[in-house]
């Protein structure tokens, strides 16, 4: 009985570690876009359901007020006698229900092709925006050169105007002193 308890405890711990490993792999697959967000959410729900059922198994193992025979039969039957669903029977989505391995692979390829087409379209849009941005930048550079030229012309004209104003004042002063 002690060996069985140790084996069960070890199996539950191993199950927990594998569920965590599944969760990490799923997060990586979603973040690297190996699967769609929708599929990632569906799989996350399945992993969450596994975690819930793992907790149910642990609770049954700890006998939480149950007789040992009932606990064992609940574990073996997936809790069916207490109205708890079998932890190993996970519900499959409508999209994949009844599909074989090759059909699932084709569906996944189709999804990836759709994503690739979307990414290609996005890439062309971004390329056009980049080109427009470069053209706007070139136009701004030309406008800045024109503004710099105008600024120099205004400064030169202002300088000449001041010089001419001083010259007129000197001529006016000389004309009033002479006349």
């Amino acid at each position: 009985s002690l060996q069985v308890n140790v084996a069960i405890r070890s199996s539950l711990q191993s199950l927990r570690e594998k569920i965590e490993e599944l969760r990490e792999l799923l997060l990586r697959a979603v973040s690297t876009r190996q699967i769609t967000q929708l599929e990632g959410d569906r799989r996350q729900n399945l992993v969450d359901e596994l975690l819930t059922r793992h907790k149910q198994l642990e609770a049954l193992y700890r006998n939480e007020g149950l007789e040992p025979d009932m606990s064992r039969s609940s574990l073996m039957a997936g809790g069916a006698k207490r109205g708890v669903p079998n932890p190993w029977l996970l519900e499959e989505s409508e999209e994949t229900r009844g599909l074989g391995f090759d059909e699932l692979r084709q569906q996944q390829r189709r999804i990836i092709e759709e994503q690739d087409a979307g990414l290609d379209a996005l890439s062309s849009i971004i390329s056009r925006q980049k080109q427009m941005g470069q053209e706007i930048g070139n136009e701004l550079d030309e406008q800045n050169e024109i503004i710099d030229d105008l600024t120099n012309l205004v400064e030169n004209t202002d300088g000449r105007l001041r010089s001419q104003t001083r010259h007129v004042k000197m001529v006016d002063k000389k004309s009033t002193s002479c006349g």
Side-chain angles (χ1 to χ4, degrees):
S1 178
L2 181 62
Q3 289 176 337
V4 170
N5 281 340
V6 169
I8 290 173
R9 209 175 300 128
S10 173
S11 294
L12 285 172
Q13 178 62 33
S14 174
L15 176 62
R16 174 68 180 194
E17 290 168 1
K18 287 184 179 176
I19 292 172
E20 285 303 318
E21 187 178 333
L22 262 178
R23 181 190 298 268
E24 290 172 17
L25 289 171
L26 177 60
L27 288 173
R28 195 172 309 132
V30 169
S31 67
T32 58
R33 300 190 191 273
Q34 292 175 356
I35 59 174
T36 64
Q37 185 63 47
L38 184 65
E39 180 64 14
D41 292 344
R42 186 186 75 80
R43 292 182 186 186
Q44 182 62 51
N45 288 339
L46 293 174
V47 169
D48 291 343
E49 205 170 317
L50 274 175
L51 278 171
T52 300
R53 296 202 175 154
H54 174 265
K55 288 177 183 174
Q56 290 172 348
L57 286 170
E58 281 186 329
L60 288 171
Y61 171 70
R62 286 192 303 263
N63 291 331
E64 294 185 348
L66 299 175
E67 297 175 3
D69 290 340
M70 182 163 182
S71 174
R72 185 171 350 137
S73 66
S74 295
L75 276 171
M76 298 311 262
K81 293 183 179 173
R82 297 186 64 228
V84 179
N86 186 334
W88 311 115
L89 297 177
L90 298 175
E91 221 173 286
E92 192 173 351
S93 74
E94 286 295 321
E95 295 174 343
T96 58
R97 187 169 291 146
L99 296 180
F101 181 74
D102 290 333
E103 293 165 324
L104 284 172
R105 193 175 339 172
Q106 285 177 343
Q107 183 182 24
Q108 186 178 21
R109 280 192 193 126
R110 190 172 51 252
I111 290 169
I112 289 172
E113 287 170 4
E114 289 171 5
Q115 288 176 341
D116 286 346
L119 288 173
D120 289 342
L122 183 61
S123 175
S124 68
I125 289 169
I126 290 172
S127 294
R128 281 197 309 268
Q129 287 182 336
K130 177 183 175 188
Q131 184 180 358
M132 286 172 55
Q134 288 172 338
E135 290 172 5
I136 290 171
N138 292 340
E139 184 68 27
L140 284 174
D141 289 343
E142 289 176 20
Q143 296 288 332
N144 282 337
E145 287 178 22
I146 291 171
I147 289 172
D148 288 344
D149 290 345
L150 278 173
T151 302
N152 289 336
L153 281 172
V154 167
E155 286 175 356
N156 289 341
T157 304
D158 186 51
R160 282 193 304 231
L161 186 60
R162 287 175 194 235
S163 171
Q164 292 298 323
T165 303
R166 278 194 304 270
H167 184 66
V168 167
K169 284 182 182 177
M170 275 186 1
V171 169
D172 187 41
K173 202 180 220 183
K174 284 182 183 178
S175 71
T176 55
S177 65
C178 291

PDB file of all heavy atoms in Angstrom, residues 55-86:
ATOM      1  N   LYS A  55      -6.325  18.499 -10.241  1.00  0.00           N
ATOM      2  CA  LYS A  55      -6.672  18.858  -8.864  1.00  0.00           C
ATOM      3  C   LYS A  55      -7.747  17.920  -8.319  1.00  0.00           C
ATOM      4  O   LYS A  55      -7.705  17.538  -7.142  1.00  0.00           O
ATOM      5  CB  LYS A  55      -7.142  20.318  -8.796  1.00  0.00           C
ATOM      6  CG  LYS A  55      -6.013  21.303  -8.982  1.00  0.00           C
ATOM      7  CD  LYS A  55      -6.507  22.721  -8.978  1.00  0.00           C
ATOM      8  CE  LYS A  55      -5.346  23.664  -9.245  1.00  0.00           C
ATOM      9  NZ  LYS A  55      -5.761  25.037  -9.404  1.00  0.00           N
ATOM     10  N   GLN A  56      -8.687  17.545  -9.171  1.00  0.00           N
ATOM     11  CA  GLN A  56      -9.718  16.600  -8.744  1.00  0.00           C
ATOM     12  C   GLN A  56      -9.097  15.254  -8.378  1.00  0.00           C
ATOM     13  O   GLN A  56      -9.459  14.643  -7.367  1.00  0.00           O
ATOM     14  CB  GLN A  56     -10.764  16.405  -9.853  1.00  0.00           C
ATOM     15  CG  GLN A  56     -11.641  17.601 -10.085  1.00  0.00           C
ATOM     16  CD  GLN A  56     -12.524  17.440 -11.327  1.00  0.00           C
ATOM     17  OE1 GLN A  56     -12.324  16.541 -12.129  1.00  0.00           O
ATOM     18  NE2 GLN A  56     -13.486  18.333 -11.475  1.00  0.00           N
ATOM     19  N   LEU A  57      -8.146  14.820  -9.193  1.00  0.00           N
ATOM     20  CA  LEU A  57      -7.466  13.551  -8.906  1.00  0.00           C
ATOM     21  C   LEU A  57      -6.704  13.630  -7.583  1.00  0.00           C
ATOM     22  O   LEU A  57      -6.730  12.694  -6.786  1.00  0.00           O
ATOM     23  CB  LEU A  57      -6.507  13.183 -10.048  1.00  0.00           C
ATOM     24  CG  LEU A  57      -7.153  12.678 -11.331  1.00  0.00           C
ATOM     25  CD1 LEU A  57      -6.115  12.588 -12.445  1.00  0.00           C
ATOM     26  CD2 LEU A  57      -7.809  11.329 -11.110  1.00  0.00           C
ATOM     27  N   GLU A  58      -6.021  14.757  -7.374  1.00  0.00           N
ATOM     28  CA  GLU A  58      -5.295  14.925  -6.108  1.00  0.00           C
ATOM     29  C   GLU A  58      -6.256  14.909  -4.923  1.00  0.00           C
ATOM     30  O   GLU A  58      -5.966  14.309  -3.885  1.00  0.00           O
ATOM     31  CB  GLU A  58      -4.496  16.230  -6.118  1.00  0.00           C
ATOM     32  CG  GLU A  58      -3.205  16.142  -6.878  1.00  0.00           C
ATOM     33  CD  GLU A  58      -2.373  17.406  -6.739  1.00  0.00           C
ATOM     34  OE1 GLU A  58      -2.937  18.509  -6.597  1.00  0.00           O
ATOM     35  OE2 GLU A  58      -1.143  17.275  -6.777  1.00  0.00           O
ATOM     36  N   ALA A  59      -7.401  15.587  -5.094  1.00  0.00           N
ATOM     37  CA  ALA A  59      -8.391  15.619  -4.014  1.00  0.00           C
ATOM     38  C   ALA A  59      -8.912  14.212  -3.738  1.00  0.00           C
ATOM     39  O   ALA A  59      -9.064  13.801  -2.582  1.00  0.00           O
ATOM     40  CB  ALA A  59      -9.540  16.549  -4.375  1.00  0.00           C
ATOM     41  N   LEU A  60      -9.172  13.467  -4.796  1.00  0.00           N
ATOM     42  CA  LEU A  60      -9.639  12.091  -4.617  1.00  0.00           C
ATOM     43  C   LEU A  60      -8.560  11.229  -3.958  1.00  0.00           C
ATOM     44  O   LEU A  60      -8.856  10.377  -3.122  1.00  0.00           O
ATOM     45  CB  LEU A  60     -10.053  11.487  -5.963  1.00  0.00           C
ATOM     46  CG  LEU A  60     -11.349  12.038  -6.551  1.00  0.00           C
ATOM     47  CD1 LEU A  60     -11.539  11.522  -7.969  1.00  0.00           C
ATOM     48  CD2 LEU A  60     -12.539  11.665  -5.692  1.00  0.00           C
ATOM     49  N   TYR A  61      -7.310  11.468  -4.324  1.00  0.00           N
ATOM     50  CA  TYR A  61      -6.208  10.698  -3.740  1.00  0.00           C
ATOM     51  C   TYR A  61      -6.093  10.984  -2.242  1.00  0.00           C
ATOM     52  O   TYR A  61      -5.847  10.097  -1.445  1.00  0.00           O
ATOM     53  CB  TYR A  61      -4.901  11.042  -4.451  1.00  0.00           C
ATOM     54  CG  TYR A  61      -3.701  10.458  -3.754  1.00  0.00           C
ATOM     55  CD1 TYR A  61      -3.470   9.086  -3.771  1.00  0.00           C
ATOM     56  CD2 TYR A  61      -2.822  11.269  -3.051  1.00  0.00           C
ATOM     57  CE1 TYR A  61      -2.391   8.546  -3.108  1.00  0.00           C
ATOM     58  CE2 TYR A  61      -1.737  10.728  -2.399  1.00  0.00           C
ATOM     59  CZ  TYR A  61      -1.522   9.374  -2.425  1.00  0.00           C
ATOM     60  OH  TYR A  61      -0.456   8.840  -1.778  1.00  0.00           O
ATOM     61  N   ARG A  62      -6.311  12.242  -1.873  1.00  0.00           N
ATOM     62  CA  ARG A  62      -6.211  12.590  -0.446  1.00  0.00           C
ATOM     63  C   ARG A  62      -7.440  12.132   0.323  1.00  0.00           C
ATOM     64  O   ARG A  62      -7.539  12.360   1.523  1.00  0.00           O
ATOM     65  CB  ARG A  62      -6.035  14.102  -0.311  1.00  0.00           C
ATOM     66  CG  ARG A  62      -4.650  14.588  -0.703  1.00  0.00           C
ATOM     67  CD  ARG A  62      -4.443  16.028  -0.283  1.00  0.00           C
ATOM     68  NE  ARG A  62      -5.446  16.912  -0.855  1.00  0.00           N
ATOM     69  CZ  ARG A  62      -5.282  17.637  -1.942  1.00  0.00           C
ATOM     70  NH1 ARG A  62      -4.163  17.581  -2.586  1.00  0.00           N
ATOM     71  NH2 ARG A  62      -6.262  18.401  -2.384  1.00  0.00           N
ATOM     72  N   ASN A  63      -8.402  11.520  -0.361  1.00  0.00           N
ATOM     73  CA  ASN A  63      -9.597  10.909   0.236  1.00  0.00           C
ATOM     74  C   ASN A  63     -10.536  11.903   0.884  1.00  0.00           C
ATOM     75  O   ASN A  63     -11.418  11.501   1.626  1.00  0.00           O
ATOM     76  CB  ASN A  63      -9.221   9.860   1.305  1.00  0.00           C
ATOM     77  CG  ASN A  63      -8.579   8.659   0.697  1.00  0.00           C
ATOM     78  OD1 ASN A  63      -8.852   8.325  -0.457  1.00  0.00           O
ATOM     79  ND2 ASN A  63      -7.727   8.002   1.447  1.00  0.00           N
ATOM     80  N   GLU A  64     -10.441  13.141   0.653  1.00  0.00           N
ATOM     81  CA  GLU A  64     -11.226  14.183   1.289  1.00  0.00           C
ATOM     82  C   GLU A  64     -12.609  13.703   1.747  1.00  0.00           C
ATOM     83  O   GLU A  64     -13.642  13.983   1.161  1.00  0.00           O
ATOM     84  CB  GLU A  64     -11.379  15.375   0.349  1.00  0.00           C
ATOM     85  CG  GLU A  64     -10.070  16.039   0.099  1.00  0.00           C
ATOM     86  CD  GLU A  64     -10.230  17.289  -0.735  1.00  0.00           C
ATOM     87  OE1 GLU A  64     -11.295  17.517  -1.299  1.00  0.00           O
ATOM     88  OE2 GLU A  64      -9.254  18.029  -0.792  1.00  0.00           O
ATOM     89  N   GLY A  65     -12.632  12.954   2.828  1.00  0.00           N
ATOM     90  CA  GLY A  65     -13.876  12.508   3.430  1.00  0.00           C
ATOM     91  C   GLY A  65     -14.502  11.309   2.730  1.00  0.00           C
ATOM     92  O   GLY A  65     -15.596  10.908   3.080  1.00  0.00           O
ATOM     93  N   LEU A  66     -13.825  10.746   1.723  1.00  0.00           N
ATOM     94  CA  LEU A  66     -14.385   9.605   1.012  1.00  0.00           C
ATOM     95  C   LEU A  66     -13.800   8.310   1.574  1.00  0.00           C
ATOM     96  O   LEU A  66     -12.703   8.288   2.118  1.00  0.00           O
ATOM     97  CB  LEU A  66     -14.047   9.686  -0.481  1.00  0.00           C
ATOM     98  CG  LEU A  66     -14.573  10.914  -1.220  1.00  0.00           C
ATOM     99  CD1 LEU A  66     -14.054  10.894  -2.632  1.00  0.00           C
ATOM    100  CD2 LEU A  66     -16.081  10.917  -1.203  1.00  0.00           C
ATOM    101  N   GLU A  67     -14.537   7.248   1.389  1.00  0.00           N
ATOM    102  CA  GLU A  67     -14.003   5.941   1.762  1.00  0.00           C
ATOM    103  C   GLU A  67     -13.001   5.534   0.698  1.00  0.00           C
ATOM    104  O   GLU A  67     -13.164   5.841  -0.474  1.00  0.00           O
ATOM    105  CB  GLU A  67     -15.141   4.914   1.831  1.00  0.00           C
ATOM    106  CG  GLU A  67     -16.159   5.244   2.895  1.00  0.00           C
ATOM    107  CD  GLU A  67     -17.334   4.283   2.854  1.00  0.00           C
ATOM    108  OE1 GLU A  67     -17.320   3.341   2.036  1.00  0.00           O
ATOM    109  OE2 GLU A  67     -18.261   4.482   3.623  1.00  0.00           O
ATOM    110  N   PRO A  68     -11.947   4.782   1.081  1.00  0.00           N
ATOM    111  CA  PRO A  68     -10.909   4.423   0.126  1.00  0.00           C
ATOM    112  C   PRO A  68     -11.452   3.707  -1.107  1.00  0.00           C
ATOM    113  O   PRO A  68     -11.012   3.978  -2.201  1.00  0.00           O
ATOM    114  CB  PRO A  68      -9.979   3.514   0.926  1.00  0.00           C
ATOM    115  CG  PRO A  68     -10.209   3.891   2.354  1.00  0.00           C
ATOM    116  CD  PRO A  68     -11.619   4.352   2.440  1.00  0.00           C
ATOM    117  N   ASP A  69     -12.436   2.821  -0.948  1.00  0.00           N
ATOM    118  CA  ASP A  69     -12.947   2.088  -2.099  1.00  0.00           C
ATOM    119  C   ASP A  69     -13.641   3.031  -3.073  1.00  0.00           C
ATOM    120  O   ASP A  69     -13.493   2.924  -4.281  1.00  0.00           O
ATOM    121  CB  ASP A  69     -13.942   1.003  -1.651  1.00  0.00           C
ATOM    122  CG  ASP A  69     -13.229  -0.122  -0.919  1.00  0.00           C
ATOM    123  OD1 ASP A  69     -11.999  -0.230  -1.112  1.00  0.00           O
ATOM    124  OD2 ASP A  69     -13.890  -0.864  -0.172  1.00  0.00           O
ATOM    125  N   MET A  70     -14.408   3.974  -2.523  1.00  0.00           N
ATOM    126  CA  MET A  70     -15.101   4.917  -3.385  1.00  0.00           C
ATOM    127  C   MET A  70     -14.091   5.820  -4.084  1.00  0.00           C
ATOM    128  O   MET A  70     -14.245   6.152  -5.251  1.00  0.00           O
ATOM    129  CB  MET A  70     -16.081   5.755  -2.572  1.00  0.00           C
ATOM    130  CG  MET A  70     -16.849   6.716  -3.443  1.00  0.00           C
ATOM    131  SD  MET A  70     -18.276   7.287  -2.577  1.00  0.00           S
ATOM    132  CE  MET A  70     -18.969   8.310  -3.827  1.00  0.00           C
ATOM    133  N   SER A  71     -13.038   6.195  -3.357  1.00  0.00           N
ATOM    134  CA  SER A  71     -12.009   7.045  -3.940  1.00  0.00           C
ATOM    135  C   SER A  71     -11.364   6.340  -5.119  1.00  0.00           C
ATOM    136  O   SER A  71     -11.166   6.927  -6.179  1.00  0.00           O
ATOM    137  CB  SER A  71     -10.971   7.379  -2.875  1.00  0.00           C
ATOM    138  OG  SER A  71      -9.910   8.068  -3.459  1.00  0.00           O
ATOM    139  N   ARG A  72     -11.019   5.062  -4.937  1.00  0.00           N
ATOM    140  CA  ARG A  72     -10.356   4.315  -6.002  1.00  0.00           C
ATOM    141  C   ARG A  72     -11.287   4.144  -7.196  1.00  0.00           C
ATOM    142  O   ARG A  72     -10.895   4.346  -8.329  1.00  0.00           O
ATOM    143  CB  ARG A  72      -9.889   2.941  -5.510  1.00  0.00           C
ATOM    144  CG  ARG A  72      -9.106   2.271  -6.603  1.00  0.00           C
ATOM    145  CD  ARG A  72      -8.381   1.007  -6.280  1.00  0.00           C
ATOM    146  NE  ARG A  72      -8.283   0.606  -4.922  1.00  0.00           N
ATOM    147  CZ  ARG A  72      -8.457  -0.648  -4.525  1.00  0.00           C
ATOM    148  NH1 ARG A  72      -8.765  -1.582  -5.380  1.00  0.00           N
ATOM    149  NH2 ARG A  72      -8.322  -0.971  -3.274  1.00  0.00           N
ATOM    150  N   SER A  73     -12.561   3.819  -6.943  1.00  0.00           N
ATOM    151  CA  SER A  73     -13.484   3.637  -8.060  1.00  0.00           C
ATOM    152  C   SER A  73     -13.720   4.968  -8.781  1.00  0.00           C
ATOM    153  O   SER A  73     -13.869   5.005  -9.996  1.00  0.00           O
ATOM    154  CB  SER A  73     -14.812   3.045  -7.572  1.00  0.00           C
ATOM    155  OG  SER A  73     -15.475   3.963  -6.740  1.00  0.00           O
ATOM    156  N   SER A  74     -13.712   6.078  -8.033  1.00  0.00           N
ATOM    157  CA  SER A  74     -13.883   7.383  -8.666  1.00  0.00           C
ATOM    158  C   SER A  74     -12.695   7.710  -9.543  1.00  0.00           C
ATOM    159  O   SER A  74     -12.845   8.245 -10.638  1.00  0.00           O
ATOM    160  CB  SER A  74     -14.038   8.474  -7.599  1.00  0.00           C
ATOM    161  OG  SER A  74     -15.219   8.270  -6.875  1.00  0.00           O
ATOM    162  N   LEU A  75     -11.501   7.374  -9.050  1.00  0.00           N
ATOM    163  CA  LEU A  75     -10.305   7.618  -9.851  1.00  0.00           C
ATOM    164  C   LEU A  75     -10.329   6.791 -11.127  1.00  0.00           C
ATOM    165  O   LEU A  75     -10.046   7.278 -12.213  1.00  0.00           O
ATOM    166  CB  LEU A  75      -9.039   7.276  -9.050  1.00  0.00           C
ATOM    167  CG  LEU A  75      -8.509   8.357  -8.134  1.00  0.00           C
ATOM    168  CD1 LEU A  75      -7.394   7.787  -7.273  1.00  0.00           C
ATOM    169  CD2 LEU A  75      -8.020   9.543  -8.908  1.00  0.00           C
ATOM    170  N   MET A  76     -10.677   5.530 -10.995  1.00  0.00           N
ATOM    171  CA  MET A  76     -10.637   4.630 -12.142  1.00  0.00           C
ATOM    172  C   MET A  76     -11.731   4.965 -13.150  1.00  0.00           C
ATOM    173  O   MET A  76     -11.533   4.868 -14.346  1.00  0.00           O
ATOM    174  CB  MET A  76     -10.783   3.166 -11.695  1.00  0.00           C
ATOM    175  CG  MET A  76      -9.659   2.714 -10.774  1.00  0.00           C
ATOM    176  SD  MET A  76      -8.055   3.135 -11.422  1.00  0.00           S
ATOM    177  CE  MET A  76      -7.619   1.595 -12.147  1.00  0.00           C
ATOM    178  N   ALA A  77     -12.900   5.381 -12.681  1.00  0.00           N
ATOM    179  CA  ALA A  77     -14.009   5.669 -13.588  1.00  0.00           C
ATOM    180  C   ALA A  77     -14.061   7.148 -13.945  1.00  0.00           C
ATOM    181  O   ALA A  77     -14.990   7.592 -14.590  1.00  0.00           O
ATOM    182  CB  ALA A  77     -15.326   5.250 -12.933  1.00  0.00           C
ATOM    183  N   GLY A  78     -13.081   7.901 -13.502  1.00  0.00           N
ATOM    184  CA  GLY A  78     -13.067   9.328 -13.818  1.00  0.00           C
ATOM    185  C   GLY A  78     -14.089  10.099 -13.014  1.00  0.00           C
ATOM    186  O   GLY A  78     -14.542  11.144 -13.423  1.00  0.00           O
ATOM    187  N   GLY A  79     -14.481   9.573 -11.873  1.00  0.00           N
ATOM    188  CA  GLY A  79     -15.421  10.281 -11.025  1.00  0.00           C
ATOM    189  C   GLY A  79     -16.850  10.161 -11.515  1.00  0.00           C
ATOM    190  O   GLY A  79     -17.710  10.919 -11.101  1.00  0.00           O
ATOM    191  N   ALA A  80     -17.128   9.242 -12.387  1.00  0.00           N
ATOM    192  CA  ALA A  80     -18.458   9.125 -12.978  1.00  0.00           C
ATOM    193  C   ALA A  80     -19.511   8.830 -11.915  1.00  0.00           C
ATOM    194  O   ALA A  80     -20.641   9.265 -12.027  1.00  0.00           O
ATOM    195  CB  ALA A  80     -18.460   8.038 -14.041  1.00  0.00           C
ATOM    196  N   LYS A  81     -19.137   8.134 -10.849  1.00  0.00           N
ATOM    197  CA  LYS A  81     -20.122   7.782  -9.828  1.00  0.00           C
ATOM    198  C   LYS A  81     -20.516   8.986  -8.987  1.00  0.00           C
ATOM    199  O   LYS A  81     -21.529   8.965  -8.335  1.00  0.00           O
ATOM    200  CB  LYS A  81     -19.572   6.664  -8.930  1.00  0.00           C
ATOM    201  CG  LYS A  81     -19.420   5.375  -9.703  1.00  0.00           C
ATOM    202  CD  LYS A  81     -18.961   4.251  -8.829  1.00  0.00           C
ATOM    203  CE  LYS A  81     -18.862   2.994  -9.671  1.00  0.00           C
ATOM    204  NZ  LYS A  81     -18.293   1.882  -9.022  1.00  0.00           N
ATOM    205  N   ARG A  82     -19.669  10.032  -9.014  1.00  0.00           N
ATOM    206  CA  ARG A  82     -19.998  11.231  -8.238  1.00  0.00           C
ATOM    207  C   ARG A  82     -20.403  12.377  -9.160  1.00  0.00           C
ATOM    208  O   ARG A  82     -20.489  13.516  -8.744  1.00  0.00           O
ATOM    209  CB  ARG A  82     -18.783  11.668  -7.411  1.00  0.00           C
ATOM    210  CG  ARG A  82     -18.370  10.642  -6.387  1.00  0.00           C
ATOM    211  CD  ARG A  82     -17.265  11.170  -5.491  1.00  0.00           C
ATOM    212  NE  ARG A  82     -17.734  12.305  -4.723  1.00  0.00           N
ATOM    213  CZ  ARG A  82     -17.056  13.445  -4.613  1.00  0.00           C
ATOM    214  NH1 ARG A  82     -15.910  13.600  -5.210  1.00  0.00           N
ATOM    215  NH2 ARG A  82     -17.535  14.433  -3.881  1.00  0.00           N
ATOM    216  N   GLY A  83     -20.602  12.081 -10.438  1.00  0.00           N
ATOM    217  CA  GLY A  83     -21.013  13.130 -11.377  1.00  0.00           C
ATOM    218  C   GLY A  83     -19.853  13.959 -11.900  1.00  0.00           C
ATOM    219  O   GLY A  83     -20.050  14.977 -12.530  1.00  0.00           O
ATOM    220  N   VAL A  84     -18.621  13.528 -11.635  1.00  0.00           N
ATOM    221  CA  VAL A  84     -17.442  14.241 -12.130  1.00  0.00           C
ATOM    222  C   VAL A  84     -17.050  13.610 -13.458  1.00  0.00           C
ATOM    223  O   VAL A  84     -16.943  12.403 -13.557  1.00  0.00           O
ATOM    224  CB  VAL A  84     -16.275  14.114 -11.112  1.00  0.00           C
ATOM    225  CG1 VAL A  84     -15.036  14.822 -11.634  1.00  0.00           C
ATOM    226  CG2 VAL A  84     -16.688  14.685  -9.771  1.00  0.00           C
ATOM    227  N   PRO A  85     -16.824  14.396 -14.503  1.00  0.00           N
ATOM    228  CA  PRO A  85     -16.483  13.823 -15.805  1.00  0.00           C
ATOM    229  C   PRO A  85     -15.117  13.143 -15.782  1.00  0.00           C
ATOM    230  O   PRO A  85     -14.261  13.474 -14.984  1.00  0.00           O
ATOM    231  CB  PRO A  85     -16.477  15.037 -16.749  1.00  0.00           C
ATOM    232  CG  PRO A  85     -16.324  16.226 -15.877  1.00  0.00           C
ATOM    233  CD  PRO A  85     -16.883  15.851 -14.535  1.00  0.00           C
ATOM    234  N   ASN A  86     -14.937  12.223 -16.680  1.00  0.00           N
ATOM    235  CA  ASN A  86     -13.675  11.513 -16.804  1.00  0.00           C
ATOM    236  C   ASN A  86     -12.581  12.511 -17.186  1.00  0.00           C
ATOM    237  O   ASN A  86     -12.700  13.226 -18.175  1.00  0.00           O
ATOM    238  CB  ASN A  86     -13.807  10.432 -17.888  1.00  0.00           C
ATOM    239  CG  ASN A  86     -12.573   9.552 -17.969  1.00  0.00           C
ATOM    240  OD1 ASN A  86     -11.483   9.966 -17.608  1.00  0.00           O
ATOM    241  ND2 ASN A  86     -12.768   8.342 -18.445  1.00  0.00           N
TER     242      ASN A  86
END
